[in-house]
């Protein structure tokens, strides 16, 4: 069973994803977490096969052979995340967009003044298409890469990294928990001390924050809770961050949050 230390010398807890077999449970997690309309067990069962394939390179290459030049933004759009990103990622920063997919997030960031965004995805079909599509934007570069092993990048080389739905896709794989742990360790390695990792997810704190507390990682983490686009909910004012100290996430359950929400975690690598 996967266990994580809260801090040096502390007791340990077992994260909620630690004992799950994601190839069987991923659809159910998505239904419970409110990723789309509420679904019963039968609907979740019908989704199991595709959800499991979210962790397969072959699946994405096949999908992007048809969709690479289309656009699809998982969860929040740049306009929704702009207040958070502007506060935590300077426009001069070197930014890693992990699992970039065919979203327009990077393009929108460049339009808003960001100058250096390195986009990685392990679908070579997608990366080849995006290199062609955005050849007129020197601020964007593209690399075919597995985020579980980014040996091409040296330690402490990025000012920030962004994941928008990548962890949620990875946990659906047969070895989901292990894959996510590898990915987060690589994020921690390549981000500079004082830099920020932004994770946009359907995962509420009890199933996401412990993963950031795994061995060898030391983050200061805050969380914003945002309504999903097109959910019918509107913000009267932009929410304040919630510090992810131990009591704040251990004592919370999914039912404490409104349906139709996404969670935006900003984890700052301790200097």
């Amino acid at each position: 069973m996967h266990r994580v230390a809260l801090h040096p010398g502390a007791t340990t807890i077992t994260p909620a994803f630690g004992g799950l077999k994601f190839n069987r449970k991923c659809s159910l997690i998505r239904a419970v977490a409110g990723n789309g309309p509420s679904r019963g067990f039968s609907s979740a069962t019908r989704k199991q096969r595709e959800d499991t394939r979210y962790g397969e390179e072959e699946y994405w290459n096949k999908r992007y052979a048809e969709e690479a030049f289309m656009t699809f933004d998982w969860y929040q759009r740049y306009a929704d995340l702009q207040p958070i990103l502007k506060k935590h990622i300077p426009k001069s920063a070197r930014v890693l967009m992990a699992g970039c997919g065919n979203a327009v997030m990077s393009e929108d960031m460049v339009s808003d003044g960001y100058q250096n965004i390195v986009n990685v995805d392990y679908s070579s079909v997608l990366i080849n298409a995006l290199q062609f599509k955005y050849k007129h934007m020197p601020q964007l570069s593209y690399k075919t890469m597995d985020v579980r092993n980014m040996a091409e990048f040296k330690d402490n080389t990025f000012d920030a990294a962004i994941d928008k739905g990548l962890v949620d896709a990875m946990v659906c794989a047969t070895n989901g928990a292990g894959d996510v742990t590898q990915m987060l360790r690589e994020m921690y390695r390549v981000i500079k001390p004082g830099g920020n990792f932004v994770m946009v997810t359907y995962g509420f704190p009890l199933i996401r924050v412990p993963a950031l507390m795994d061995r060898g990682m030391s983050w200061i983490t805050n969380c914003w809770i945002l309504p999903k686009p097109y959910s019918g909910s509107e913000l009267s004012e932009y929410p304040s961050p919630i510090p992810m100290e131990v009591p704040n996430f251990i004592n919370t359950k999914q039912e404490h949050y409104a349906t139709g929400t996404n969670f935006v975690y900003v984890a700052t690598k301790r200097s």
Side-chain angles (χ1 to χ4, degrees):
M1 181 172 289
H2 184 70
R3 300 178 69 84
V4 297
L6 302 181
H7 52 76
T11 57
T12 60
I13 63 172
T14 302
F17 66 75
L20 292 180
K21 295 180 180 178
F22 285 105
N23 56 328
R24 298 179 183 175
K25 300 290 188 177
C26 189
S27 292
L28 180 58
I29 291 172
R30 288 177 177 275
V32 171
N35 186 36
S38 178
R39 299 192 292 262
F41 286 97
S42 59
S43 295
T45 301
R46 286 195 297 270
K47 286 284 289 177
Q48 284 177 4
R49 182 173 298 175
E50 182 175 87
D51 282 349
T52 303
R53 295 188 66 199
Y54 286 165
E56 299 176 4
E57 181 179 356
E58 180 183 357
Y59 168 82
W60 291 108
N61 277 332
K62 183 177 179 180
R63 177 167 169 171
Y64 285 131
E66 301 174 356
E67 301 179 7
F69 287 99
M70 301 178 185
T71 59
F72 180 76
D73 260 303
W74 288 56
Y75 309 150
Q76 303 292 320
R77 301 155 300 194
Y78 174 66
D80 305 310
L81 298 170
Q82 187 182 44
I84 298 172
L85 298 183
K86 279 193 170 183
K87 180 177 180 180
H88 295 281
I89 305 179
K91 292 184 177 179
S92 60
R94 187 180 189 221
V95 181
L96 173 65
M97 189 69 68
C100 61
N102 56 352
V104 294
M105 179 82 168
S106 296
E107 177 184 351
D108 288 345
M109 289 179 69
V110 168
S111 296
D112 196 32
Y114 285 89
Q115 296 298 312
N116 188 354
I117 303 176
V118 180
N119 300 270
V120 301
D121 199 289
Y122 77 169
S123 170
S124 58
V125 172
L126 172 70
I127 292 299
N128 290 338
L130 294 179
Q131 286 174 334
F132 177 80
K133 181 179 179 179
Y134 291 110
K135 60 184 179 181
H136 64 290
M137 284 191 173
Q139 303 93 330
L140 300 177
S141 61
Y142 291 89
K143 294 180 179 292
T144 303
M145 190 174 294
D146 187 334
V147 294
R148 295 168 298 182
N149 181 5
M150 300 187 290
E152 181 177 336
F153 298 139
K154 297 180 180 179
D155 296 356
N156 308 319
T157 192
F158 288 97
D159 300 293
I162 299 172
D163 155 27
K164 195 155 68 74
L166 176 61
V167 163
D168 295 352
M170 292 179 71
V171 297
C172 295
T174 303
N175 184 37
D179 290 344
V180 169
T181 297
Q182 287 180 269
M183 174 266 200
L184 292 176
R185 287 176 177 170
E186 280 291 87
M187 293 297 127
Y188 188 82
R189 181 183 66 79
V190 302
I191 293 174
K192 297 176 181 178
N196 291 299
F197 173 52
V198 180
M199 177 169 58
V200 185
T201 172
Y202 67 74
F204 55 100
L206 191 57
I207 68 170
R208 285 293 177 267
V209 175
L212 293 167
M213 294 181 167
D214 201 14
R215 295 183 302 274
M217 293 186 284
S218 182
W219 305 99
I220 301 170
T221 306
N222 289 281
C223 177
W224 284 256
I225 303 173
L226 301 180
K228 292 180 181 178
Y230 314 115
S231 65
S233 300
E234 294 185 3
L235 292 172
S236 56
E237 60 181 359
Y238 210 80
S240 299
I242 304 169
M244 289 290 99
E245 298 170 350
V246 173
N248 285 353
F249 73 86
I250 289 182
N251 297 327
T252 58
K253 306 287 186 183
Q254 171 61 23
E255 56 264 27
H256 293 175
Y257 304 105
T259 57
T261 56
N262 291 142
F263 300 86
V264 182
Y265 301 95
V266 176
T268 304
K269 182 175 177 178
R270 294 181 189 271
S271 299

